[in-house]
Amino acid sequence: MEATARPRKPKPRRSPDLRPDSLRTLILIPAHNEAENIPALLDDLLHRHEARHVLLIDDGSTDDGGALARARGCKVLRHHFNLGYGASLLSGYHYALIHDYEAVVQMDADGQHPPRALPDLLAPIWSGEADHVLGSRFLEGEVQGTTFMRRLASKMLTGLARFWTGKRFSDPTSGFQAMRREVVEALCNDGFPEDFPDLDVLMDLNRQGFRLLEVSTPMRDREHGQSMHGGLHVLYYFYRLGMNLMLLPVRRPSLYRKDRLKVGT
């Protein structure tokens, strides 16, 4: 009987010091029917970052959010159907790799992530201190105005993250994140969640040896629309998270993913 080689534990990745003026950074914004929020977000963001390095993923929207972004000089990729938040991120990650970006910042289209916090989020990436940075609204204590259920869910997820990674993440579902190119490459795999990619993604990155860091960032109230984590979606979220955690130890990347990246699909 032929022996099976045991997988080696991944070594932590180390990165060179990176200066802010030498790091090509893509701002990635997934959007589904967020036309009411997009103008204010982009008008603020474009005072701080060039429009040609801002990519909005229009995930099968029925409004004119993509047109509003394009009119401001931003890049827009459109899904003809609503594929989900994770699928939108994955499209953006592939765009970043194909266009040779060295870092990616992802932020929500609802305007809750203030662009003024970008330097704080990117500083550990620029300095080489971290490979992936998570922006947290809870790092300095609880935020007024959050519901009891959201606080309870956050505490449960924080406990799960600590159990699986040994690290404490106060806001593991935050969509405000910055990452180096190597992290983007690792995320472009067939196991990337199409709906709610957050805690299980952090666990997978930690398992691969990437250096994860959480920094405090403010969060604004949503002015229009509804959160994707509302209502019965919370129950489905925990069900899906449980399934992903059970599969995480045996998940393997597709043998064909690298070939797909070469042809840009």
Side-chain angles (χ1 to χ4, degrees), residues 15 20 25 27 45 93 111-112 128 166 174 204 227 242 255:
S15 56
T25 302
I27 306 295
L45 175 62
Y93 295 158
Q112 291 186 295
S174 171
D204 193 26
S227 170
L255 297 174

Side-chain angles (χ1 to χ4, degrees), residues 87-129:
S88 297
L89 289 177
L90 201 55
S91 292
Y93 295 158
H94 281 281
Y95 179 96
L97 295 179
I98 292 168
H99 292 84
D100 296 321
Y101 282 96
E102 298 168 286
V104 171
V105 172
Q106 63 187 55
M107 58 193 307
D108 294 345
D110 57 13
Q112 291 186 295
H113 302 146
R116 71 176 185 275
L118 285 173
D120 293 333
L121 195 70
L122 277 165
I125 302 292
W126 288 336
S127 67
E129 179 185 356

